Amino acid sequence: MVKMRARLIGLLVLVVACLTTSLTAGGAPSAAAPLAGPLWFDAQAAATFTVDNGRFTDGLGREVVLRGYNVSGETKLAENGGLPFASVADAEKSATALRELGGGNTARFLLSWAHAEPVRGQVDRTYLAAVTEQMKAFLRAGIRVYPDFHQDLHSRYLFNEGSWYTGDGAPKWAVEAGGYPRESCGICLFWGQNITQNEAVKRAAHDFWHNSHGVQDAFLTTAQATMAHLAEHLTTAEFAGVVGFDPYNEPHAGSYDSGRTSRMWERDVLWPFYEKFRARMDAAGWQSKPAFVEPNLFWNANLAFQKQEGGLLDAGRLGPRYVLNTHFYDQKAISGVFMWGKAADGQYAGDFGTVRDRAAGAGTAAIVSEFGHPLTGTVSDKAPTVGKAMYQALDSRLPGAGWWAKPEQSGPVLSGTQWQWDIYNGRHHELMNGNPAKVRTSGDAWNDEDLSAVRLDDSGTPVLRQDARLLDRLYPSATATRALAFTYEDRSRDGSATLTWNPVPTSLPRVSELVGSGQYGLLLWHSDGTSVPTELHLPASFDTPRTTVISDLGTAVGPPAYTRGTPIAVAPEPGGTGSRRLLLTAENPVGLHYALVTNGAAAPSAELLSGARGELAAWAAGRG
């Protein structure tokens, strides 16, 4: 891919459509409002997305972090015909809430092969049109999107009406072509055990990877038609917000051919499939967008008996046309057996460090496209700490206790999309496997899962099901040029207890006083000379008048609305949803920069601000 490095100082850009919003004084304009003023940098370039030198970047050369949610597990159900939403209006409601409540800038957007090709060789254009319109609602809200043809346990059509479990993915005709035995998982406490214990699921997966009955060819043809439809029916600005495609959710061999190992299967079966999918992307007009490729489902499992060698070790350097895309769930915590206590500071530093290292070895960027924990049930008490530890590990590979001492070892800030964002949580009406006697309404309505971070209240308004301090986070969405280290202390709660895993060290007493009991984030970054701003998402909990920024760029209490030349300022996020971002612009851009952002002390004194800035300057000296 060609990287656009725009240095267009003084360029007047009139910003249109959903992906660009005027950085001007005042609140976020509505989508139809006239522009109040110019951007001095190229907003179209800012919306561009690519992979460069192992990081996600935009067209201004800034390092980009994708944060958000999977939208939506409703696609796995039949009640709305495999669509994420019942209507475009619901999609718009969900997208706005994802921005305002969830703090996300990205959605992994689920699609259904079964509904895209219900009859072999016939793509359902009505389904594709509906999917496109719902996707547009997220793009209008300034949310980047990467679609995913989702599957679990291969297909719902493998399961009988009385089954304990169900699946999603392949259409009925593909299952009928295989003539699989009656499914049975035996003694399975979790639906995922079907992957390795249900003979029907195992054989169907094996057949797909070996293109038995031509099913893989059919899938690739439908995927190409879907991508071509999106390229044709999205505007140029909207299509720029589609950052890539996830070819296949949670791939597993089903069963390995005689003499094959999991690593050999990735090399000889999975990777050739991804190369075929990449060719289909190119043919559909997606040449400049990466494929978000997933290794063997179990390559990074944290249970020893599940773990299988993999991680696309034999694919060589993936480069900008592929992204290392993985999932992580703490199976020990979910089991209720292998982890009795709760997650703690640094719990997943090693697991997410493995993701960083594998991406670096592959010469590409990484994203954790699914992570989360059940919010009801016998292990739901672990959710607050598991969630905090996972976000902590996305932000940095260091535990909080050691971050201040060696931030240079923090590693890149990882992108991630939490499972999941389903506004219909608890309000479904799903006939499980088409059985009218098994109507599922609670939770996610799928295999007794309940992981959605959002639901609708009785008035139809989206509300969070998890602590807003955990979900709506400070994070560096665009860093000029490269983030060196980042940490965020969200002060999220576990019941009535505030979780503080990264206290300011006692060696920085004025910084500690400034932060107090508030939330804070600290970014270290290096600029190679670009004059475009570094941007951080500002959570709703960072009310502008109470937000304090201490930086080598200056000090600001209640940062002003953005105007050109203001080093520390606040502006609306793209999309007009009311969410905000902090912009940090260096007058002398080359070299190391730092910024502490906190909502701690109210109306801090000039003496406290000066003391905190002196301590941070001394701490930052010589780092990076």
Side-chain angles (χ1 to χ4, degrees):
M1 279 181 275
V2 178
K3 180 180 179 184
M4 298 172 61
R5 282 195 167 273
R7 299 288 188 265
L8 305 178
I9 307 300
L11 179 64
L12 178 64
V13 179
L14 295 182
V15 187
V16 295
C18 65
L19 295 175
T20 53
T21 299
S22 178
L23 303 182
T24 58
S30 68
L35 299 173
L39 292 171
W40 65 269
F41 58 88
D42 187 342
Q44 185 63 42
T48 302
F49 178 90
T50 189
V51 179
D52 181 73
N53 196 26
R55 306 283 178 110
F56 295 132
T57 60
D58 65 15
L60 300 171
R62 299 182 298 180
E63 180 179 352
V64 170
V65 171
L66 305 177
R67 287 289 176 89
Y69 303 85
N70 283 259
V71 177
S72 156
E74 171 72 13
T75 300
K76 298 161 69 167
L77 308 180
E79 62 183 4
N80 281 323
L83 292 169
F85 302 98
S87 64
V88 173
D90 280 0
E92 291 171 341
K93 179 184 294 188
S94 179
T96 299
L98 191 150
R99 268 293 208 190
E100 290 183 339
L101 302 179
N105 65 8
T106 303
R108 181 177 183 238
F109 201 89
L110 273 61
L111 308 176
S112 169
W113 177 22
H115 290 86
E117 190 187 5
V119 177
R120 184 165 194 160
Q122 297 180 25
V123 175
D124 188 336
R125 298 289 173 178
T126 301
Y127 175 78
L128 295 188
V131 162
T132 303
E133 291 306 309
Q134 293 186 7
M135 188 181 294
K136 284 183 176 184
F138 284 79
L139 296 168
R140 282 194 296 271
I143 297 169
R144 286 183 162 113
V145 167
Y146 62 107
D148 155 45
F149 262 121
H150 207 79
Q151 74 81 37
D152 296 282
L153 309 183
H154 189 70
S155 174
R156 67 177 291 147
Y157 298 105
L158 285 171
F159 295 83
N160 61 76
E161 281 193 350
S163 177
W164 290 1
Y165 300 107
T166 189
D168 69 286
K172 186 176 183 179
W173 62 259
V175 172
E176 291 174 341
Y180 303 112
R182 185 176 178 86
E183 61 82 19
S184 175
C185 193
I187 302 175
C188 290
L189 300 179
F190 304 100
W191 69 262
Q193 291 176 264
N194 284 271
I195 297 170
T196 55
Q197 291 180 221
N198 190 322
E199 192 62 29
V201 173
K202 290 166 61 178
R203 285 179 53 180
H206 182 275
D207 280 359
F208 177 85
W209 296 117
H210 289 77
N211 197 27
S212 299
H213 319 291
V215 292
Q216 188 182 116
D217 287 342
F219 171 79
L220 290 169
T221 298
T222 297
Q224 180 178 336
T226 300
M227 289 185 283
H229 181 95
L230 290 170
E232 180 181 353
H233 291 87
L234 296 175
T235 67
T236 299
E238 288 169 342
F239 194 49
V242 180
V243 296
F245 207 108
D246 184 344
Y248 198 90
N249 179 69
E250 296 183 352
H252 187 261
S255 59
Y256 297 113
D257 295 330
S258 178
R260 283 193 185 276
T261 63
S262 58
R263 179 170 177 174
M264 293 168 64
W265 175 79
E266 280 195 349
R267 181 193 66 198
D268 299 335
V269 179
L270 181 61
W271 185 250
F273 166 77
Y274 285 147
E275 291 182 313
K276 293 175 185 176
F277 197 95
R278 174 72 264 180
R280 298 296 185 121
M281 291 178 70
D282 294 347
W286 292 53
Q287 299 92 329
S288 63
K289 301 180 187 296
F292 286 59
V293 294
E294 301 185 35
N296 176 352
L297 165 62
F298 297 117
W299 82 278
N300 61 340
N302 71 335
L303 284 173
F305 64 82
Q306 282 187 334
K307 193 173 183 65
Q308 299 177 14
E309 186 180 22
L312 304 178
L313 293 168
D314 299 300
R317 290 185 64 80
L318 302 185
R321 285 168 60 78
Y322 298 93
V323 168
L324 181 73
N325 170 16
T326 190
H327 298 174
F328 184 81
Y329 294 95
D330 186 348
Q331 297 299 335
K332 294 179 181 179
I334 292 173
S335 72
V337 175
F338 297 100
M339 181 180 131
W340 291 98
K342 297 184 179 183
D345 178 27
Q347 185 87 17
Y348 306 117
D351 297 297
F352 285 58
T354 297
V355 175
R356 288 178 170 90
D357 292 341
R358 183 67 207 104
T364 191
I367 187 168
V368 184
S369 61
E370 283 190 28
F371 62 93
H373 190 82
L375 300 183
T376 55
T378 59
V379 298
S380 60
D381 64 308
K382 303 178 192 294
T385 58
V386 167
K388 181 178 176 75
M390 287 183 175
Y391 274 110
Q392 179 193 53
L394 287 172
D395 290 342
S396 169
R397 69 185 304 153
L398 296 174
W403 191 90
W404 285 88
K406 46 186 178 181
E408 60 275 5
Q409 297 180 21
S410 192
V413 182
L414 284 177
S415 294
T417 47
Q418 181 177 331
W419 185 271
Q420 65 160 324
W421 192 264
D422 174 19
I423 61 173
Y424 305 121
N425 176 269
R427 295 174 176 270
H428 292 284
H429 192 273
E430 174 72 2
L431 278 61
M432 185 175 178
N433 299 316
N435 188 344
K438 298 184 75 173
V439 180
R440 295 293 179 254
T441 60
S442 63
D444 300 337
W446 196 85
N447 286 339
D448 296 323
E449 283 197 335
D450 188 8
L451 283 85
S452 177
V454 71
R455 66 177 178 87
L456 298 177
D457 67 13
D458 290 342
S459 69
T461 301
V463 294
L464 293 178
R465 301 180 65 232
Q466 293 177 268
D467 191 343
R469 289 159 291 220
L470 173 68
L471 299 181
D472 187 12
R473 306 177 64 79
L474 188 81
Y475 60 89
S477 52
T479 303
T481 302
R482 191 174 185 87
L484 299 178
F486 176 70
T487 190
Y488 180 52
E489 180 50 77
D490 56 46
R491 311 277 192 186
S492 57
R493 271 60 159 183
D494 180 10
S496 61
T498 298
L499 302 172
T500 300
W501 292 353
N502 192 350
V504 178
T506 57
S507 58
L508 302 171
R510 307 318 306 271
V511 175
S512 181
E513 182 182 353
L514 178 68
V515 170
S517 60
Q519 299 165 296
Y520 81 87
L522 180 53
L523 175 66
L524 286 168
W525 76 99
H526 185 278
S527 175
D528 67 0
T530 180
S531 297
V532 294
T534 287
E535 301 183 16
L536 294 95
H537 169 71
L538 271 182
S541 58
F542 279 69
D543 184 54
T544 299
R546 192 173 175 123
T547 297
T548 297
V549 181
I550 304 289
S551 173
D552 66 292
L553 309 181
T555 300
V557 179
Y562 178 82
T563 56
R564 183 178 175 182
T566 306
I568 301 171
V570 173
E573 292 274 24
T577 61
S579 58
R580 297 160 304 128
R581 51 185 162 172
L582 179 71
L583 288 93
L584 306 171
T585 309
E587 182 178 350
N588 299 304
V590 178
L592 178 71
H593 303 286
Y594 66 87
L596 173 81
V597 187
T598 183
N599 59 5
S605 67
E607 187 271 336
L608 176 58
L609 295 171
S610 177
R613 187 176 184 187
E615 288 178 354
L616 280 174
W619 173 84
R623 299 194 182 276

